[in-house]
Amino acid sequence: MDRGAGWFKLMGTPKSAGTKLLSVSGDCARPGVYEVAFGLKVQDLLKMAGGLDAQAVQVGGPSGTCISRGQFERKLCFEDLPTGGSVIVIGPQRDLFEAIHNFMDFFIEESCGWCVPCRAGNILLKKKLEKITSGKGTAKDLQEIESWGKTIKAMSRCGLGQTSPNPILTTLQNFREMYEAKVRNDKDFISEFDLAAAVKAASSLTGQKLTEAHHE
Amino acid sequence: MNKIKFTIDGKECFAEPGQTIMEAAKANGVYIPALCRYEGLKPAGSCRVCTVRVGRGHMAACTQPVAEGMVVENIVPDLEDMRKSLIEMLFVEGNHLCPTCQKSGNCELQALAYRYQMLVPRFPYQFPVRQVEPVGPHLLLEQNRCIQCLRCVRGVKTTDGKAVFGSVKRSGKKKIAFDRDLAAGLSADAAKKAMDQCPVGALLKKEIGFMVPIGKRKFDQKPIGSEFEDKRS
Amino acid sequence: MARKITIEPVTRIEGHGKVTIRLDDSGRVVQSRFHIVEFRGFERFVQGRPYWEMPVLVERLCGICPVSHHLAAAKAADVIVGVGPDGLTPTAEKMRRLMHYGQMFQSHALHFFHLASPDLLFGADADPAIRNVIGVALKHKDLAVQGVLMRKFGQEIILATAGKKIHGTGAIPGGINKNLSLEERDSFLKAPDPMNVDKMIGWAQGAVDFFKDFHQKNKDLIDGFAAFPSNHLSLVRKDGGLDFYHGVLRAVDADGKKILNDVDYRNYLDYVGEEVKSWSYMKFPYLRSLGKTDGWYRVGPLARLNTSDFIPTPLAQKEFEVYKAYTKGKPNNMTLHSHWARLIELLHSGEVIKELLLDPDLQGEALLKKGRKAHEGVGLVEAPRGTLFHHYRINGDDQVTMANLIVSTTNNNEPMNRAVHWVAKNILEKKPEITEGMLNRVEIAIRAYDPCLSCATHALGKMPLEVELYDSRGRLLDCKKK
Ligand code: SF4
Ligand code: SF4
């Protein structure tokens, strides 16, 4: 403090002056709070925290950007990768989809439910993601998830909804291959309709078993 | 006269200072679709259907004040499609079986679905399990059809001004609740007014049912928004 | 070697029938069963719903004769709002009647011209390529056109009374939500040929004549096919006249003796029981006084003309007399005579529609009444396919807590089984092979009862069927699909 703003501004990048406190967590040897100059490369931060083998880094908390190994040269600053301070390291042993699911759960949990896109949209988005990760998705589902995410961002009332699709949208951008490996290219449509499940309530009401009466 | 000058989809409009985009649009004969807005109630900005674009930003027309020189985009394809998807979200989020719903033909959600020519929602139906709850002696709250517009929360008051309805829980579990004692005091007239305020078939004054025949219902002849759009053409 | 034959339509969800016939080692029929899948989900579905929704809700759950469900539920709701069953205003009651007879007219026209006439015109052994409604259209163009237009006429009546051709909202608890404007009335009375009521009555008379002529030439088939004695049940007007909308419950036995003597239908539970059998989704109703084994009965056109003493319109009454004379005044137990009875009812419906249209009460303004609230209501109507029962209970908040429906097809469950059994005995027994003609006869027997099953509404030859042949140890020997 006593060295003044001028000194502070010497550090960092033109638009992001000074230093930043970063909370590094996740799969690294030395998690904790680091004070670094703006403009630090993700790569260098990982080196400090002992997480160089990360498969992905989530910068800026759940609503931020998820970057892949190829992007570890990028810099932590407002011009490139803005962050409120959270950096989550996702190690190679992790299922990235699971991490994305968790982030979406976080948003669904945190949504106040006031406005439609955030309240209803995020739940639908997560279900779509589940469809894809369970291997029932098609190329069309990838297009849809992208467009639904954009709608939620544009139409939501507050910052939560406006950023909540980011875990999906940024991974879809930066880990496209991972999604593409999940979807089926041999089919345009896979039905999620389960006849037996759909008629279960009605059948149990009458005390009848569908298969029995049917094949007697 | 220091009227504010702005445009909606290229049409030159004028607003009084302090007017929201929605109010000014109405005064200028421009229709902006909306669902939670209700004349005389404080805007809630919850349905987001009235979202317009100004520059690269999106904002709810019902809460955003007009500023001098604003260039507002309203009826443009991508925005309209996003609005349509909000309508679809509301359909799949609850259980809307229009053909057996007494609000059919008088329902604003359904009217907007018609406006947007929604056939099948792009989203999968969620089929939530919800209940019908009696609200005092004259009203039923059909939770299956509630769209959380909060009009009842804002508009249904006891004679001494206390709010009967409130909103509880969060996220997808958010729902409308009410004070049993206050609800017990609602008169038949108040119940009818509450039903008329609700945009959908969620608040039902008892025994009205299908009293209005098909053909005589609010949107049978005049689709939603037509009162503005007819004037314009 | 014992065989088991299974005839199974492919459609599943909307309700479908399956026929199994077991033959013993010498090829004799030991057992035949007509299985019906019917999900009675509505009983749960309506729980908690406001009672005034019932007429609109329940008509959707069973979509083949929606107006009947609409009206039966409305009649039950009338009781709940304290005006039923005889207290409606004249305008309300007559508007509902018009709706109902309009539906009867369109349903009977559809059944005869589209579903039944191909069987009669071409016979069960004809090439399936012509034995369907397209075949009728090609060979008997006028008949096919009449069928289409009569159906349309009935639907226009429904539209004018219920607000929509299918699934309208017209009947509401305690009355109706609209009357008939003079323009609407005149569109039925005075429209240019053929879409006016006089032409419709003329065509209906023509259809009756057509059938009588056909009967003369094919007595063996019409009289002998799947004939068996049974009891018969329906509503009749208090004076014994035929009435589809309202009346008292009457049942007669195969000889015409009254076994249910004009009782108040609101007490139906005292008279009618329902038996559950493990092998069928559909219950088996029976008259309590006769017990489970002997108490089964037929409903529908055949039953109605057996229970009624007369028909209260002149042209239909004349035909009724001819029809009755054929069985010397005794109940008619011949399955294929249902077609004859149905056409007489078609004619009657046309006449009633005209009477109602000429009645100025339809332009009345008093549409609704209200009385002392009750918490339970029963409503019955005669649907095209037979007696339809609706029964609801509600709680103090107007929400339904219990619903019980006995639909016409359920009432005819045992008769359809008997008809299938007759075909098994008389057509399939001791035959080395199952031919398409034999399968068609099973279908014809079922279809005479006009069951409201999705499979049954396929034109003949289009009904998806599967036949499986089993030996005594249950091994599949043969499988035939059509
Ligand atoms: S509330 Fe509106 S949208 Fe929902 S079922 Fe009723 S008519 Fe349809
Ligand atoms: S009950 Fe009606 S008015 Fe109240 S929030 Fe629900 S939809 Fe809106």
Side-chain angles (χ1 to χ4, degrees):
Chain A
M1 281 298 137
D2 42 319
R3 291 193 228 181
W7 172 84
F8 190 72
K9 276 194 176 158
L10 286 176
M11 294 186 283
T13 65
K15 280 195 185 148
S16 318
T19 62
K20 174 80 195 158
L21 287 174
L22 293 179
S23 153
V24 183
S25 60
D27 305 317
C28 54
R30 293 173 294 278
V33 179
Y34 292 77
E35 181 170 13
V36 303
F38 270 117
L40 184 76
K41 283 184 186 159
V42 175
Q43 180 84 26
D44 297 332
L45 181 70
L46 287 174
K47 208 177 282 168
M48 283 193 249
L52 269 178
D53 60 348
Q55 61 164 316
V57 175
Q58 178 77 21
V59 183
S63 60
T65 306
C66 187
I67 57 169
S68 62
R69 289 193 71 84
Q71 299 167 302
F72 287 174
E73 289 290 308
R74 290 176 65 180
K75 292 173 182 162
L76 296 157
C77 59
F78 292 121
E79 298 94 313
D80 188 5
L81 286 171
T83 167
S86 160
V87 174
I88 302 167
V89 183
I90 300 167
Q93 76 284 6
R94 291 231 181 244
D95 178 357
L96 187 55
F97 275 124
E98 205 181 307
I100 304 167
H101 274 293
N102 292 342
F103 288 141
M104 287 312 292
D105 280 338
F106 166 82
F107 283 115
I108 290 171
E109 187 68 22
E110 285 307 306
S111 169
C112 76
W114 182 280
C115 75
V116 179
C118 175
R119 179 183 73 231
N122 281 322
I123 292 174
L124 295 165
L125 210 53
K126 165 130 194 279
K127 292 223 164 128
K128 188 66 129 187
L129 183 68
E130 277 163 4
K131 182 180 177 193
I132 292 167
T133 52
S134 69
K136 287 187 183 153
T138 63
K140 189 160 166 273
D141 288 310
L142 292 186
Q143 284 165 18
E144 281 181 356
I145 207 169
E146 202 161 358
S147 112
W148 299 4
K150 282 187 185 147
T151 300
I152 296 169
K153 280 175 77 106
M155 305 301 263
S156 285
R157 181 163 172 262
C158 78
L160 187 104
Q162 286 158 9
T163 52
S164 55
N166 283 352
I168 292 179
L169 291 182
T170 62
T171 49
L172 196 55
Q173 198 178 7
N174 299 334
F175 297 85
R176 187 97 200 170
E177 342 64 64
M178 179 179 87
Y179 282 89
E180 267 159 8
K182 276 280 181 197
V183 300
R184 307 264 307 254
N185 290 317
D186 54 335
K187 283 190 181 165
D188 294 336
F189 173 75
I190 299 168
S191 173
E192 288 164 279
F193 183 71
D194 179 345
L195 174 70
V199 300
K200 210 172 124 202
S203 303
S204 73
L205 189 80
T206 50
Q208 284 144 338
K209 287 203 194 88
L210 185 66
T211 43
E212 245 180 36
H214 202 72
H215 298 295
E216 195 255 4
Chain B
M1 281 289 213
N2 47 355
K3 288 222 172 188
I4 301 170
K5 233 167 99 176
F6 74 112
T7 64
I8 303 179
D9 292 338
K11 176 187 153 114
E12 188 162 86
C13 298
F14 296 92
E16 306 289 343
Q19 266 187 328
T20 61
I21 298 176
M22 176 68 84
E23 286 161 348
K26 254 193 112 186
N28 286 274
V30 174
Y31 177 63
I32 301 178
L35 206 41
C36 65
R37 196 194 88 89
Y38 191 76
E39 203 64 56
L41 296 182
K42 198 168 161 260
S46 69
C47 74
R48 313 309 288 175
V49 171
C50 71
T51 300
V52 292
R53 186 159 48 222
V54 178
R56 290 188 56 198
H58 293 89
M59 49 201 68
C62 71
T63 50
Q64 186 72 31
V66 181
E68 179 67 40
M70 243 183 189
V71 177
V72 177
E73 288 178 80
N74 175 31
I75 310 291
V76 289
D78 66 324
L79 199 52
E80 285 278 84
D81 186 60
M82 291 201 279
R83 288 170 175 167
K84 182 180 181 186
S85 77
L86 294 183
I87 302 297
E88 294 175 6
M89 283 180 194
L90 287 170
F91 268 94
V92 304
E93 187 191 35
N95 295 305
H96 294 269
L97 290 104
C98 295
T100 66
C101 175
Q102 64 189 74
K103 194 82 170 195
S104 217
N106 291 313
C107 169
E108 294 175 42
L109 178 64
Q110 185 192 48
L112 281 173
Y114 274 122
R115 176 185 166 90
Y116 287 113
Q117 297 173 6
M118 180 191 110
L119 296 173
V120 180
R122 68 196 76 180
F123 309 107
Y125 285 101
Q126 304 296 299
F127 301 116
V129 178
R130 298 192 194 164
Q131 304 298 325
V132 181
E133 299 168 16
V135 181
H138 304 291
L139 269 179
L140 290 179
L141 172 55
E142 199 343 346
Q143 297 278 19
N144 288 291
R145 304 177 190 142
C146 174
I147 56 168
Q148 319 295 329
C149 74
L150 308 174
R151 282 191 195 173
C152 57
V153 174
R154 291 173 280 159
V156 181
K157 304 271 163 74
T158 57
T159 38
D160 53 346
K162 289 201 191 96
V164 177
F165 292 92
S167 174
V168 296
K169 303 207 179 156
R170 42 196 298 125
S171 188
K173 297 202 177 67
K174 189 178 171 75
K175 66 172 203 159
I176 294 302
F178 55 93
D179 182 305
R180 260 167 225 289
D181 295 335
L182 298 182
L186 282 178
S187 68
D189 281 351
K192 174 74 174 45
K193 207 177 137 213
M195 173 172 175
D196 293 342
Q197 253 176 23
C198 177
V200 293
L203 277 179
L204 305 171
K205 158 104 184 5
K206 281 186 183 174
E207 301 196 337
I208 289 191
F210 297 85
M211 212 87 96
V212 183
I214 296 169
K216 294 254 160 63
R217 302 169 308 182
K218 192 164 162 197
F219 299 117
D220 279 340
Q221 266 117 32
K222 298 203 130 276
I224 198 164
S226 60
E227 64 274 29
F228 296 104
E229 291 174 341
D230 288 353
K231 256 189 248 159
R232 223 171 28 167
S233 56
Chain C
M1 168 198 339
R3 298 186 300 168
K4 179 180 169 188
I5 302 163
T6 308
I7 302 177
E8 178 168 24
V10 177
T11 32
R12 266 190 168 198
I13 302 229
E14 301 101 312
H16 79 262
K18 172 175 85 159
V19 175
T20 60
I21 302 164
R22 281 173 202 274
L23 306 177
D24 68 9
D25 288 345
S26 57
R28 274 200 304 264
V29 174
V30 287
Q31 182 198 62
S32 70
R33 283 172 173 177
F34 178 38
H35 308 249
I36 300 170
V37 174
E38 179 212 40
F39 293 112
R40 293 172 67 99
F42 57 81
E43 281 151 341
R44 197 174 108 141
F45 196 77
V46 301
Q47 296 272 332
R49 309 297 320 166
Y51 71 82
W52 55 85
E53 256 182 23
M54 290 308 110
V56 175
L57 191 67
V58 180
E59 68 177 343
R60 302 233 138 219
L61 296 174
C62 195
I64 300 193
C65 52
V67 171
S68 311
H69 284 282
H70 183 57
L71 291 174
K75 285 180 76 179
D78 292 343
V79 178
I80 289 175
V81 298
V83 297
D86 298 297
L88 296 187
T89 68
T91 306
E93 153 126 20
K94 286 172 187 173
M95 281 296 285
R96 286 194 192 176
R97 278 185 178 273
L98 184 60
M99 190 195 301
H100 194 40
Y101 282 79
Q103 124 121 339
M104 214 40 123
F105 195 80
Q106 72 92 11
S107 175
H108 279 3
L110 171 78
H111 183 268
F112 183 73
F113 289 97
H114 288 188
L115 302 179
S117 72
D119 300 2
L120 302 177
L121 291 171
F122 302 114
D125 296 314
D127 182 350
I130 55 161
R131 198 196 53 234
N132 56 39
V133 66
I134 312 289
V136 177
L138 291 176
K139 252 195 108 176
H140 302 268
K141 192 152 172 274
D142 47 336
L143 269 191
V145 169
Q146 286 172 18
V148 171
L149 293 181
M150 287 168 92
R151 174 141 198 268
K152 183 160 190 296
F153 185 81
Q155 283 178 321
E156 294 296 335
I157 298 257
I158 297 172
L159 173 68
T161 47
K164 266 164 92 181
K165 284 184 189 166
I166 37 166
H167 304 138
T169 64
I172 54 179
I176 192 93
N177 67 16
K178 74 185 288 284
N179 63 11
L180 196 74
S181 69
L182 289 172
E183 302 81 72
E184 283 170 327
R185 184 196 71 180
D186 290 346
S187 72
F188 301 116
L189 278 180
K190 299 185 184 154
D193 273 352
M195 294 308 280
N196 59 62
V197 71
D198 289 314
K199 190 75 187 174
M200 290 297 138
I201 293 173
W203 280 355
Q205 179 70 61
V208 179
D209 295 340
F210 168 85
F211 187 89
K212 285 193 292 188
D213 179 55
F214 182 82
H215 182 205
Q216 284 305 317
K217 295 175 187 145
N218 299 275
K219 278 217 162 112
D220 288 352
L221 171 71
I222 300 291
D223 294 355
F225 185 84
F228 53 87
S230 77
N231 306 311
H232 302 271
L233 174 135
S234 81
L235 289 178
V236 294
R237 211 162 77 174
K238 282 201 177 103
D239 60 3
L242 178 69
D243 198 321
F244 302 144
Y245 175 71
H246 192 49
V248 287
L249 261 187
R250 181 186 283 186
V252 298
D253 70 10
D255 293 319
K257 196 171 108 245
K258 278 188 195 164
I259 46 181
L260 210 56
N261 200 354
D262 300 0
V263 298
D264 186 339
Y265 65 67
R266 282 175 294 176
N267 306 321
Y268 78 101
L269 285 175
D270 295 343
Y271 310 113
V272 177
E274 285 185 277
E275 189 188 1
V276 178
K277 295 187 184 176
S278 62
W279 53 270
S280 176
Y281 280 100
M282 193 170 266
K283 291 183 191 169
F284 288 78
Y286 61 94
L287 292 169
R288 289 187 189 278
S289 57
L290 300 181
K292 287 182 187 171
T293 322
D294 301 322
W296 60 278
Y297 51 84
R298 279 192 261 212
V299 298
L302 193 72
R304 285 191 286 253
L305 295 203
N306 285 334
T307 52
S308 302
D309 301 326
F310 65 96
I311 298 182
T313 53
L315 296 176
Q317 171 63 17
K318 241 180 89 202
E319 292 303 330
F320 181 68
E321 283 159 17
V322 176
Y323 173 87
K324 283 304 247 191
Y326 193 73
T327 52
K328 307 205 166 53
K330 288 281 176 200
N332 188 327
N333 287 300
M334 295 169 273
T335 289
L336 289 190
H337 282 230
S338 342
H339 295 307
W340 190 358
R342 192 172 287 114
L343 292 171
I344 296 174
E345 289 191 343
L346 176 75
L347 177 60
H348 172 58
S349 302
E351 290 184 284
V352 171
I353 290 170
K354 183 171 178 188
E355 260 176 28
L356 286 166
L357 288 172
L358 292 171
D359 190 329
D361 275 348
L362 285 187
Q363 282 78 47
E365 300 285 342
L367 306 181
L368 265 184
K369 266 171 78 174
K370 226 177 136 175
R372 249 186 65 133
K373 185 80 150 287
H375 286 97
E376 185 164 2
V378 176
L380 262 71
V381 293
E382 281 298 321
R385 299 159 174 86
T387 319
L388 170 64
F389 300 63
H390 277 218
H391 181 190
Y392 304 98
R393 260 187 228 126
I394 62 167
N395 64 16
D397 293 310
D398 290 352
Q399 295 171 277
V400 173
T401 55
M402 188 282 308
N404 187 37
L405 272 66
I406 310 178
V407 305
S408 325
T409 301
T410 304
N411 282 310
N412 269 334
N413 199 355
E414 181 65 27
M416 287 189 288
N417 269 283
R418 298 276 167 152
V420 166
H421 190 74
W422 185 95
V423 176
K425 269 274 180 218
N426 292 276
I427 312 277
L428 284 159
E429 189 159 286
K430 304 233 179 211
K431 298 289 178 353
E433 194 197 3
I434 303 156
T435 64
E436 166 134 345
M438 292 176 187
L439 297 184
N440 288 342
R441 284 177 176 82
V442 175
E443 240 186 283
I444 290 170
I446 296 170
R447 204 192 291 288
Y449 294 88
D450 192 11
C452 56
L453 310 167
S454 61
C455 63
T457 52
H458 286 267
L460 191 98
K462 294 271 172 68
M463 192 193 271
L465 288 175
E466 193 175 322
V467 183
E468 288 174 347
L469 212 64
Y470 296 91
D471 69 8
S472 48
R473 271 168 290 164
R475 278 188 310 222
L476 186 69
L477 294 177
D478 189 15
C479 175
K480 272 189 189 152
K481 282 186 189 167
K482 62 169 234 166

